[in-house]
């Protein structure tokens, strides 16, 4: 079993009196593709923003394998959903800026461009791209970032089936090179395709953590003799 | 492939420069600067030419025919207008757009202080402003071309004043853009601060006292001093403290993952420090009159005599804030006295703001001069009258045998031929062309 890279412990987040996250705890293992799944409003984006240090937590911590608090900027890079940063700048310049400013993985630039099929619009400004193209550029930025853990909010949003499969293949390839990925995905069937393990979040609480098989066992334990074959069934039973 | 040797701050600067080049608000500012500069400049040139025909070179014409107040200050007045009403929107765009687009969420994940981000943005905004001041530079070049002479200390004073004003506006806009969630709120807040400074000026005129003291440091007053060729260290330092405070507040509110209460506490600490620094800076008494006609100084003979007065001089003028005599007295005599006499304290006394119903009151309009218990009462508000009273109470007199070169003005009878074409056609046209080229460069689409 891979070593534990991060331990998320009892993370809490409130907006006013309402709890967005309550005692959220799970582990992220070295080099895995971990999927964060849950219905709309489960707190997935809030959790990622808290972990990335973009929102203050009301309790809990993100620890490294040794149990020490991590400095988000050194360990995690977070690609938010629904952003169009520097819309007027060309894609090629943005990738260069990203590598230069973040001291990113310059050696991966060409391969990332090729893998994500960005070369046809490298000279276009980001704002002129379609939603799917923009998403691929943002994923490319994340892959070029130097931090060992990459968190992406809805990486598959805006992509067609072929692009989804291609992106899944690229992300898996980067995970196999040692990059740890933590992906928030609201389409359960998509998540099931390429994540190693899952954290199931519902109503701001973790309902389950593990592989499809492990989650199915949790669901079976809760629901008597029923058996669960797919992640969707598990999700509907647990969430 | 990006060079690994380039410092991240340089990358930030590059990025901000590129963002400025695609900012429509900046191009619009540049487009408007030609007409905004040309209109007051050309009418000032015509008025100056008419006065030059009438005034000749007699000594009294010196102040009227000073190119600083007659031509250059009007040429730069467009900068003041643009600095207050247009520049903040450019600055808000530079600082606030990253938040709206989500770019800030990416950029702030680098382990570096938000201070460097704000510094890069402020530097680029200031650079953008320097480019926007090019039409004013063009006006100076035209003046030279028409045969006028440039007095560089005065030109430097004008530039300094408008750069300080721009710095203040950028800092206010930066703070507003960081504290608020949306650029429109930031714009309202920035204009609110500008209107607030006008209210301070209004109350200063009505009430005097502390309001008057505060009004001396509003952007309009700071620019006004520099436009008269007076380089005041206290207002410069206060302006710099305010600039740093604004940028500091902007930096504080750029930190992510920090509770609002923590930001409020840090902001309060910064403001308290700034108030203390402003208190210290406003006490600095150091200034330079760089005007050719010594518009902010007494004649040299009087200045030398006043400098020799070592004992404390206390002056109390019983004049209401809105009494026109008080404004004349302050501008023409007391301001110069404060600059010259080493230890002088001037106070105004009045029970109403207008003075209309005090005219008949005993002692209203009197100016009391007190030096070590020696008292003198006077009603004279002219420069000569004030000097006479000061000499009488201090027992000194104007220095004799002082050779002073009298500034006899720089008359210039010219017809600003081609000026309209330059400011109303060429500069806006060139700006438009550059703007279109920049837009095409950044949004180029492959075939």
């Amino acid at each position: 079993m891979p070593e534990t890279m991060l331990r998320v412990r009892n993370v809490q987040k409130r907006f006013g009196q309402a709890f967005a996250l309550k005692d959220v705890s799970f582990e992220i293992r070295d080099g895995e593709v971990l999927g964060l799944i849950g219905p709309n409003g489960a707190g997935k984006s809030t959790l990622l923003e808290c972990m990335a240090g973009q929102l203050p937590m009301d309790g809990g911590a993100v620890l490294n394998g040794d149990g020490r608090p991590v400095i988000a900027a050194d360990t995690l890079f977070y690609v938010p959903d629904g952003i169009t940063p520097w819309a007027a700048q060309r894609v090629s310049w943005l990738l260069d800026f990203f590598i230069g400013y973040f001291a990113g993985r310059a050696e991966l630039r060409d391969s990332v461009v090729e893998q994500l099929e960005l070369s046809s619009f490298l000279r276009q400004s980001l704002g002129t791209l379609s939603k799917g193209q923009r998403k691929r550029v943002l994923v490319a930025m994340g892959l070029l970032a130097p931090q060992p853990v990459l968190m992406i909010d809805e990486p598959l949003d805006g992509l067609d089936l072929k692009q989804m499969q291609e992106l899944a293949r690229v992300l898996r390839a980067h995970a196999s090179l040692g990059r740890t990925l933590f992906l928030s995905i609201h389409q359960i069937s998509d998540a099931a395709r390429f994540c190693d393990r899952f954290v199931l979040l519902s109503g701001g609480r973790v309902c389950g953590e593990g592989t499809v098989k492990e989650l199915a066992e949790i669901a079976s334990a809760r629901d008597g003799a029923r058996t669960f074959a797919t992640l969707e069934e598990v999700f509907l039973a647990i969430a | 492939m990006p060079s690994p040797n380039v410092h991240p701050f340089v990358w930030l600067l590059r990025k901000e420069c590129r963002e400025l080049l695609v900012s429509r608000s900046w191009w619009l500012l540049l487009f408007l600067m030609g007409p905004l500069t040309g209109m007051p400049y050309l009418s000032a040139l015509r008025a100056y030419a008419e006065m030059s025909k009438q005034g000749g070179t007699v000594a009294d014409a010196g102040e009227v025919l000073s190119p600083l107040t007659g031509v250059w200050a009007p040429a730069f007045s467009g900068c003041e207008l643009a600095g207050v009403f247009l520049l903040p929107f450019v600055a808000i765009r530079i600082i606030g757009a990253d938040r709206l687009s989500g770019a800030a969420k990416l950029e702030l994940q680098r382990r570096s202080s938000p201070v460097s981000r704000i510094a890069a943005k402020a530097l680029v905004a200031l650079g953008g402003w320097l480019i926007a001041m090019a039409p004013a530079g063009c006006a100076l070049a035209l003046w030279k071309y028409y045969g006028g002479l440039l007095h560089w200390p005065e030109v430097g004073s004008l530039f300094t004043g408008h750069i300080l004003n721009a710095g203040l506006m950028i800092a206010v806009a930066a703070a507003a853009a960081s504290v608020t969630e949306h650029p429109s709120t930031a714009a309202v807040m920035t204009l609110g601060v500008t209107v607030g400074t006008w209210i301070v000026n209004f109350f200063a005129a009505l009430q005097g006292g502390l309001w008057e003291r505060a009004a001396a440091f509003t952007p309009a007053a700071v620019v006004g001093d520099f436009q008269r060729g007076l380089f005041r260290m206290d207002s410069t330092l206060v302006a710099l403290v305010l600039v740093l405070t604004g940028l500091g507040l902007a930096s504080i509110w750029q930190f992510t993952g920090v509770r609002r209460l923590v930001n409020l506490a840090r902001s309060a600490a910064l403001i308290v420090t700034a108030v203390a620094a402003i208190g210290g800076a406003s006490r600095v008494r150091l200034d330079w009159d760089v005007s050719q006609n010594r518009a902010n100084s007494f004649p040299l003979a009087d200045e030398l005599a006043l400098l020799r007065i070592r004992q404390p001089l206390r002056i109390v003028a019983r004049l209401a804030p809105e009494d026109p005599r008080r404004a004349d007295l302050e501008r023409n005599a007391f301001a110069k006295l404060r600059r010259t006499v080493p230890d002088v304290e001037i106070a105004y006394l009045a029970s109403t703001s207008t003075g209309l119903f005090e005219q008949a009151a005993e002692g209203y309009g009197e100016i009391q001069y007190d030096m070590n218990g020696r008292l003198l009462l006077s009603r004279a508000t002219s420069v000569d009258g004030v000097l006479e009273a000061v000499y009488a109470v201090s027992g000194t007199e104007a220095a004799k045998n002082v050779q002073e070169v009298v500034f006899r003005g720089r008359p210039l009878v010219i017809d600003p031929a081609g000026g309209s074409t330059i400011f109303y056609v060429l500069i806006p046209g060139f700006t438009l062309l550059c703007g279109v080229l920049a837009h095409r460069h950044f949004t180029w689409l492959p075939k």
Side-chain angles (χ1 to χ4, degrees):
Chain A
M1 186 187 289
E3 281 181 28
T4 300
M5 186 148 197
L6 295 175
R7 293 175 208 275
V8 176
R9 285 287 169 261
N10 306 108
V11 169
Q12 304 219 31
K13 178 68 193 170
R14 271 197 318 261
F15 291 111
Q17 295 301 310
F19 272 97
L21 299 172
K22 198 163 189 185
D23 286 329
V24 171
S25 297
F26 60 95
E27 287 180 0
I28 301 178
R29 293 174 190 162
D30 200 3
E32 74 172 344
V33 180
L34 181 64
L36 178 63
I37 56 174
N40 286 335
K44 300 189 294 292
S45 300
T46 305
L47 174 61
L48 294 185
E49 292 199 359
C50 284
M51 288 175 67
Q54 298 200 345
L55 276 179
M57 296 180 194
D58 291 314
V62 180
L63 311 170
N64 65 13
D66 302 330
R68 284 195 298 264
V70 298
I71 295 165
D74 290 345
T75 314
L76 303 150
F77 190 83
Y78 168 51
V79 180
D81 183 34
I83 62 168
T84 311
W86 316 291
Q89 304 300 334
R90 289 182 188 180
V91 173
S92 63
W93 192 85
L94 283 179
L95 296 180
D96 288 345
F97 165 71
F98 219 77
I99 293 168
Y101 179 61
F102 285 94
R105 303 166 187 233
E107 71 284 1
L108 294 182
R109 187 190 189 280
D110 292 341
S111 62
V112 165
V113 166
E114 193 187 337
Q115 288 167 344
L116 293 170
E117 296 174 7
L118 307 182
S119 38
S120 60
F121 47 84
L122 273 180
R123 286 175 64 79
Q124 271 181 254
S125 53
L126 192 68
T128 62
L129 303 183
S130 71
K131 193 178 175 187
Q133 288 171 327
R134 221 178 295 160
K135 179 63 83 177
R136 274 145 64 195
V137 174
L138 287 171
V139 170
M141 288 176 181
L143 291 174
L144 294 174
Q147 288 86 343
V149 180
L150 173 60
M151 304 191 295
I152 310 178
D153 197 0
E154 301 294 350
L156 309 176
D157 208 23
L159 303 183
D160 58 36
L161 187 63
K162 186 169 170 286
Q163 287 172 336
M164 259 191 240
Q165 286 176 339
E166 193 54 36
L167 181 63
R169 193 183 59 76
V170 172
L171 292 176
R172 283 233 65 98
H174 280 266
S176 68
L177 292 172
R179 195 77 185 271
T180 304
L181 301 173
F182 185 32
L183 312 173
S184 159
I185 301 168
H186 78 276
Q187 292 291 351
I188 312 295
S189 54
D190 300 333
R193 277 196 206 117
F194 66 99
C195 293
D196 299 317
R197 291 194 317 124
F198 304 89
V199 172
L200 208 164
L201 198 67
S202 182
R205 293 167 190 269
V206 173
C207 300
E209 177 190 353
T211 59
V212 177
K213 195 178 162 199
E214 287 164 348
L215 287 172
E217 284 167 11
I218 296 171
S220 295
R222 283 193 193 172
D223 203 0
R226 244 186 99 187
T227 53
F228 299 90
T230 64
L231 187 60
E232 279 110 326
E233 290 172 350
V234 171
F235 175 80
L236 289 171
I238 297 180
Chain B
M1 188 70 75
S3 165
N5 300 322
V6 178
H7 194 275
F9 187 72
V10 178
W11 276 106
L12 271 184
L13 279 178
R14 283 182 186 172
K15 192 264 295 174
E16 294 303 341
C17 286
R18 292 175 72 100
E19 287 287 288
L20 182 72
L21 283 171
V22 296
S23 157
R24 288 200 179 120
S25 56
W26 183 63
W27 286 107
L28 189 61
L29 167 71
L30 294 188
F31 182 82
L32 292 173
M33 282 309 283
L36 275 176
T37 306
M39 214 180 298
Y41 172 65
L42 295 174
S43 45
L45 265 187
R46 288 190 189 103
Y48 195 84
E50 281 169 21
M51 275 191 285
S52 295
K53 276 184 207 162
Q54 304 294 325
T57 55
V58 293
D60 287 348
E63 191 166 336
V64 181
L65 290 180
S66 154
L68 174 66
T69 49
V71 179
W72 304 339
F76 278 75
S77 63
C79 293
E80 192 175 357
L81 204 63
V84 171
F85 291 109
L86 303 179
L87 178 65
F89 294 98
V90 178
I92 287 168
R93 197 269 181 209
I94 292 174
I95 287 145
D98 282 358
R99 272 187 157 185
L100 272 189
S101 72
K105 284 188 173 181
L106 295 178
E107 270 180 43
L108 287 166
Q109 293 187 57
R110 188 179 187 282
R111 198 179 179 187
S112 63
S113 165
V115 176
S116 59
R117 266 188 95 233
I118 291 295
K121 285 174 184 290
L123 278 175
V124 169
L126 196 61
W129 175 247
L130 285 175
I131 294 171
M133 283 176 82
C138 185
L140 294 181
L142 266 181
W143 167 260
K144 184 97 177 148
Y145 171 75
Y146 291 141
L149 286 174
L150 288 177
H151 184 61
W152 290 109
E154 287 181 340
V155 174
S157 169
L158 266 177
F159 263 103
T160 310
H162 286 287
I163 287 169
L164 272 182
N165 185 41
L168 279 168
M169 294 320 299
I170 290 170
V172 170
S178 288
V179 170
T180 59
E181 293 292 325
H182 201 275
S184 57
T185 321
V188 171
M189 194 184 255
T190 309
L191 287 179
V193 171
T194 303
V195 173
T197 63
W198 295 346
I199 291 171
V200 169
N201 287 331
F202 179 70
F203 274 102
L206 283 183
Q207 318 246 327
L210 269 179
W211 289 104
E212 206 165 18
R213 185 91 185 109
F217 300 108
T218 59
V222 172
V223 171
D225 285 337
F226 282 100
Q227 276 181 341
R228 287 194 298 276
L230 183 63
F231 192 109
R232 280 177 55 177
M233 189 52 92
D234 59 347
S235 52
T236 305
L237 289 175
V238 168
L240 288 175
V241 170
L242 288 173
V243 167
L244 291 177
T245 307
L247 297 180
L249 281 175
S251 304
I252 285 172
W253 288 88
Q254 289 276 319
F255 278 96
T256 55
V258 180
R259 278 171 205 289
R260 207 165 272 263
L261 268 176
V262 175
N263 279 343
L264 283 172
R266 287 175 179 171
S267 303
L270 179 66
I271 289 168
V272 168
T273 312
V275 167
I278 286 169
S282 63
R283 286 171 203 280
V284 174
R285 287 186 61 184
L286 196 62
D287 50 43
W288 296 272
D289 182 1
V290 296
S291 60
Q292 288 182 88
N293 58 354
R294 292 172 50 82
N296 308 291
S297 310
F298 290 119
L300 197 55
D302 293 306
E303 196 170 274
L304 290 174
L306 293 171
L307 277 170
R308 285 200 302 271
I309 298 175
R310 291 292 158 196
Q311 290 171 323
L313 172 64
R314 304 283 170 263
I315 301 173
V316 178
R318 293 179 180 273
L319 288 168
E322 283 189 79
D323 193 318
R325 286 176 292 173
R326 176 162 158 177
D328 287 344
L329 187 67
E330 179 60 38
R331 188 173 54 244
N332 299 326
F334 284 175
K336 294 174 184 176
L337 215 55
R338 279 196 200 91
R339 294 191 54 238
T340 318
V341 178
D343 186 359
V344 63
E345 232 180 71
I346 299 169
Y348 292 100
L349 273 184
S351 49
T352 61
S353 61
T354 61
L356 274 177
F357 306 106
E358 285 184 82
Q359 301 285 346
E362 198 184 340
Y364 184 79
E366 280 181 357
I367 306 164
Q368 180 185 288
Y369 297 84
D370 175 0
M371 186 171 276
N372 279 348
R374 267 202 313 276
L375 295 177
L376 189 141
L377 283 178
S378 163
R379 283 183 176 270
T381 55
S382 66
V383 176
D384 290 341
V386 169
L387 282 174
E388 201 176 299
V390 172
Y391 288 144
V393 79
S394 62
T396 53
E397 58 180 31
K400 287 172 185 159
N401 302 324
V402 176
Q403 295 290 321
E404 183 170 9
V405 180
V406 178
F407 179 74
R408 296 195 181 278
R410 301 243 182 252
L412 188 67
V413 182
I414 40 123
D415 172 28
S420 302
T421 314
I422 291 172
F423 289 103
Y424 302 143
V425 180
L426 289 181
I427 292 177
F430 181 69
T431 306
L432 200 64
L433 179 72
C434 292
V436 169
L437 288 176
H439 181 73
R440 282 188 57 174
H441 174 77
F442 283 100
T443 55
W444 179 84
L445 295 170
K447 285 178 186 170

